[in-house]
Amino acid sequence: MTTPNLTVTDIKSFIGSRDFNASRDFYVALGWQVIYDSDDLRVMELGNHRFYLQRYYDRQWCNNTMLHVAVECVEDWFAFVKNAFTTNNFAGGARHDSEIGDEGYAQTFHVWDPAGVLIHFAQFPTE
């Protein structure tokens, strides 16, 4: 009997978009790159990590979707994101109205994309 190969090579989430192009522009302004682009699906990459941005919107689903982005320096990311919101006029409901806070497990701040997806930027404590 042979042992099955159950190796997982990756896991990616699908993220909805109310306005497909506005969501792309939002994520690109925050540092993601579009590495695949079609009429209804984009692969977005940040730091060798990817998700699928799709041309599909369900308000309840998007408002209950979260991305967690672990970073080395939450202060630098906070400044970068704050600047992106200052220099871009994001469409839809994109907003950045949180400060860096201690969530117990990490220092975090939050951003909402144009479809209402909540993004947590988090720096874990170093040991």
Side-chain angles (χ1 to χ4, degrees):
M1 183 173 167
T2 62
T3 304
N5 181 351
L6 303 178
T7 303
V8 175
T9 62
D10 195 12
I11 296 175
K12 293 180 185 68
S13 295
F14 283 80
I15 303 298
S17 63
R18 182 173 26 209
D19 178 323
F20 196 46
N21 291 329
S23 287
R24 176 206 54 215
D25 295 347
F26 171 83
Y27 284 104
V28 167
L30 295 187
W32 272 268
Q33 293 181 319
V34 179
I35 62 168
Y36 172 81
D37 197 352
S38 73
D39 289 339
D40 59 357
L41 185 72
R42 293 183 169 123
V43 178
M44 307 299 295
E45 181 178 73
L46 179 67
N48 294 320
H49 301 280
R50 300 173 181 174
F51 69 86
Y52 296 107
L53 180 65
Q54 59 184 336
R55 186 188 301 269
Y56 174 78
Y57 179 71
D58 177 279
R59 183 178 179 271
Q60 185 175 5
W61 172 56
C62 287
N63 287 339
N64 285 288
T65 299
M66 293 183 249
L67 291 177
H68 190 272
V69 181
V71 299
E72 287 187 8
C73 184
V74 73
E75 291 89 1
D76 287 351
W77 269 99
F78 183 82
F80 177 78
V81 169
K82 189 173 183 176
N83 184 61
F85 272 82
T86 301
T87 58
N88 292 278
N89 185 16
F90 296 121
R95 68 185 199 276
H96 173 257
D97 54 11
S98 78
E99 297 294 324
I100 297 171
D102 186 350
E103 297 285 337
Y105 72 94
Q107 295 291 312
T108 68
F109 71 93
H110 307 103
V111 175
W112 289 263
D113 86 352
V117 173
L118 177 61
I119 306 167
H120 293 247
F121 287 89
Q123 179 183 339
F124 295 101
T126 55
E127 297 180 323

